Amino acid sequence: MTDRLINKLQLRDDGAPLIEVLKNDKLPVVLWGNGSLSYSVKKYLEENGINIDAVWINKRNPEDDIPDNCMDYGQLVKKFDYFNVVCGHSRYDLAESTQNSYAGIHRIYCFTNICYGQWNCISKRFIMEHIQEYEYTFELLEDDYSRLCMSAYLNCRNNENFEFIIPFSYEAASYFSNPFFQINDHEVYLDVGAYNGDSIREFVKSVNGRYQKIYALEPEVNSFSELSGYIKKCGLKNVEAYNNGCWNEDTTLSFQLNAESSSVCNDGISIKVKRIDEQFNHYGISLIKINFLHGVLETIEGAEGILKELKPNMVVTVGFDEWGLITIPKTIKRINPDYKLSLRYASPMPARLLLFAY
C-alpha cells in the first residue's frame, strides 16, 4: 500500500497570486527570452496591466523577429539600476544561478502555470474537490518516483513555485529515451500532433535511422506543409503524413492556431478529425506519441481497439491542465488494464510532465 497523495501535498490557501506580487513591485520589468513561450508570458503581463520595459536576449538568432526594446545585459544595467526579470522560457532551473550572477536583478519571476495561452493555477479548492480522483491516479502509478513527480506537479501548479519539480527534472526523460521501454528498429511509430516534424527528427535520430514505418498526423495547414517539406528534404523513407486530427469519432471540429500552439477550440477554422482505430487499423502500431492541449482524452478513446489488441507503448503529455492526471491514466487503464503507468518530466516545467504507458 503506497502512501497517500494528500500527505505529500503542500497546498496554499487561495491568496494573492504571483502576478499581484509583481504588480506591487514598482521596478522596471524585463522579459527574459524571445521564444514561443515568451509570447504567452508577454500576453499574460499585458492583460494584467504590466508594461514590459525591455526584452533580454543573451544570443540573437538573425532569423528571429527581434523586438525594438531588445537589450543585452550591458545595455540593461546602463538603462536600469535595478530591475525585475520575468522568465519567458522554460528553463526555470537557471533562475537562481542567473539572479546570483548578474548584478542589478532584484528578482526573477517564473510564472510556471503559463503554457499554450493558459495561466491559471490549480487551486486548493479544485484539488480537494477532486482529491479522490487524484488519489486513484496516484495508486495506479507503477513506481514511487512517479508518485513524487505527481505530488510535485500539483504543489508546483498550486503554489506557482517551480522549485517543487526541480529535484525531479534533472534526469529528464523523453519520448524515445526513458526507463520504461526501449525503442528498436522495428517500430511502427504514430506521431499524433507531428507539428513540423520535430519529434520525428528526434525519433529517427534515436533509432539511427532504422525503423519499420512512421505515420504522422498534423491538422494545421502551415505546420503540415513544413512537416511534408522536412520529410522530402531529408529523404525519409516509409513515412506517411496526413493532414487531419484525431477524435473519438470521424467528424469536423473547430481548430485554432496562435503563436505558441494550435488546438481544438470553440471558434476557429474547420478541420477533419478521425478515429485512430479507423485510420490505422491493421497497421501494426507499436509506439504512439500524443502532445497537444485539447482533445487528448478523445484521441485515446478513438484508439481503443489498437490499445486493446496491440498495446503499443505510449507517451502522453499530461501536464497542460488540472484534468490530465485525472482522466487520461484512468482511461488508458480502463481500455487495457495490462498497461503499466509512470510519470517523468521532460524538462523542469510542469507542462512537460509525461505519462508513459507500457
Side-chain angles (χ1 to χ4, degrees):
M1 183 68 179
T2 60
D3 191 13
R4 296 183 65 205
L5 170 64
I6 191 66
N7 296 330
K8 298 183 180 298
L9 297 181
Q10 302 175 42
L11 305 179
R12 67 174 183 178
D13 293 318
D14 297 337
L18 188 59
I19 190 70
E20 295 298 327
V21 179
L22 178 60
K23 275 185 181 181
N24 293 328
D25 199 338
K26 303 303 182 181
L27 293 172
V29 174
V30 174
L31 178 62
W32 180 19
N34 191 43
S36 60
L37 183 59
S38 69
Y39 171 86
S40 283
V41 175
K42 181 175 182 290
K43 183 177 179 182
Y44 178 59
L45 295 178
E46 290 174 346
E47 291 197 3
N48 280 275
I50 296 176
N51 181 59
I52 297 173
D53 297 284
V55 177
W56 179 20
I57 302 178
N58 294 327
K59 295 181 180 179
R60 303 190 186 191
N61 187 337
E63 298 179 356
D64 290 343
D65 184 14
I66 305 299
D68 294 335
N69 59 346
C70 176
M71 301 181 187
D72 59 27
Y73 174 70
Q75 293 170 316
L76 288 174
V77 293
K78 284 182 180 179
K79 184 168 184 177
F80 311 115
D81 293 330
Y82 216 37
F83 54 93
N84 284 315
V85 171
V86 175
C87 191
H89 54 77
S90 62
R91 289 298 307 275
Y92 305 131
D93 53 318
L94 300 177
E96 182 177 359
S97 61
T98 300
Q99 184 168 341
N100 293 335
S101 300
Y102 290 89
I105 298 177
H106 173 240
R107 178 175 176 178
I108 296 182
Y109 288 80
C110 297
F111 293 101
T112 57
N113 289 322
I114 297 180
C115 185
Y116 296 144
Q118 301 184 119
W119 39 66
N120 293 326
C121 72
I122 302 180
S123 68
K124 179 178 179 180
R125 178 178 179 179
F126 181 89
I127 293 173
M128 296 312 297
E129 286 177 348
H130 296 274
I131 191 62
Q132 294 306 316
E133 294 163 283
Y134 280 124
E135 291 279 11
Y136 181 74
T137 296
F138 195 71
E139 291 292 329
L140 289 179
L141 296 173
E142 191 68 21
D143 57 301
D144 288 338
Y145 196 85
S146 293
R147 288 183 273 272
L148 290 172
C149 287
M150 180 175 177
S151 59
Y153 171 82
L154 292 173
N155 284 328
C156 174
R157 290 292 308 272
N158 172 257
N159 289 276
E160 296 185 278
N161 187 345
F162 68 91
E163 292 182 0
F164 282 104
I165 64 174
I166 290 297
F168 309 106
S169 61
Y170 288 122
E171 296 182 6
S174 70
Y175 304 129
F176 314 116
S177 177
N178 60 78
F180 314 112
F181 58 81
Q182 291 185 335
I183 59 175
N184 57 61
D185 54 8
H186 299 294
E187 299 288 357
V188 179
Y189 170 46
L190 175 59
D191 191 340
V192 186
Y195 186 43
N196 61 6
D198 53 350
S199 295
I200 293 177
R201 188 178 297 110
E202 183 184 348
F203 170 75
V204 171
K205 181 179 180 181
S206 297
V207 294
N208 296 314
R210 296 189 294 271
Y211 54 86
Q212 185 172 336
K213 191 79 175 184
I214 298 174
Y215 298 103
L217 294 173
E218 176 51 51
E220 199 278 314
V221 174
N222 293 330
S223 295
F224 182 77
S225 177
E226 290 186 48
L227 169 66
S228 301
Y230 158 70
I231 294 170
K232 183 177 181 180
K233 179 180 178 180
C234 294
L236 295 180
K237 305 297 183 182
N238 297 321
V239 180
E240 294 182 15
Y242 298 88
N243 188 204
N244 66 266
C246 296
W247 205 247
N248 52 14
E249 61 176 330
D250 293 358
T251 185
T252 300
L253 295 177
S254 185
F255 190 80
Q256 189 174 62
L257 173 72
N258 61 39
E260 191 184 350
S261 70
S262 53
S263 66
V264 174
C265 66
N266 293 323
D267 183 22
I269 63 173
S270 294
I271 63 164
K272 292 182 179 179
V273 290
K274 300 179 179 180
R275 294 170 62 247
I276 287 176
D277 279 345
E278 182 70 23
Q279 193 168 6
F280 299 103
N281 190 23
H282 307 304
Y283 281 52
I285 303 297
S286 64
L287 175 64
I288 300 175
K289 180 226 81 177
I290 302 175
N291 176 30
F292 45 84
L293 183 59
H294 299 299
V296 173
L297 180 63
E298 291 81 1
T299 294
I300 292 171
E301 291 172 341
E304 182 168 342
I306 288 174
L307 300 190
K308 283 182 177 178
E309 180 182 355
L310 301 178
K311 192 176 171 280
N313 292 321
M314 288 203 303
V315 190
V316 184
T317 304
V318 291
F320 289 137
D321 62 25
E322 64 271 34
W323 291 103
L325 284 171
I326 292 176
T327 61
I328 295 171
K330 176 176 63 176
T331 300
I332 293 173
K333 288 289 281 188
R334 175 188 60 78
I335 291 173
N336 190 336
D338 290 338
Y339 269 114
K340 296 179 180 179
L341 304 177
S342 294
L343 294 171
R344 291 296 187 271
Y345 287 97
S347 65
M349 182 181 185
R352 298 296 291 140
L353 182 62
L354 303 180
L355 175 70
F356 296 86
Y358 52 100

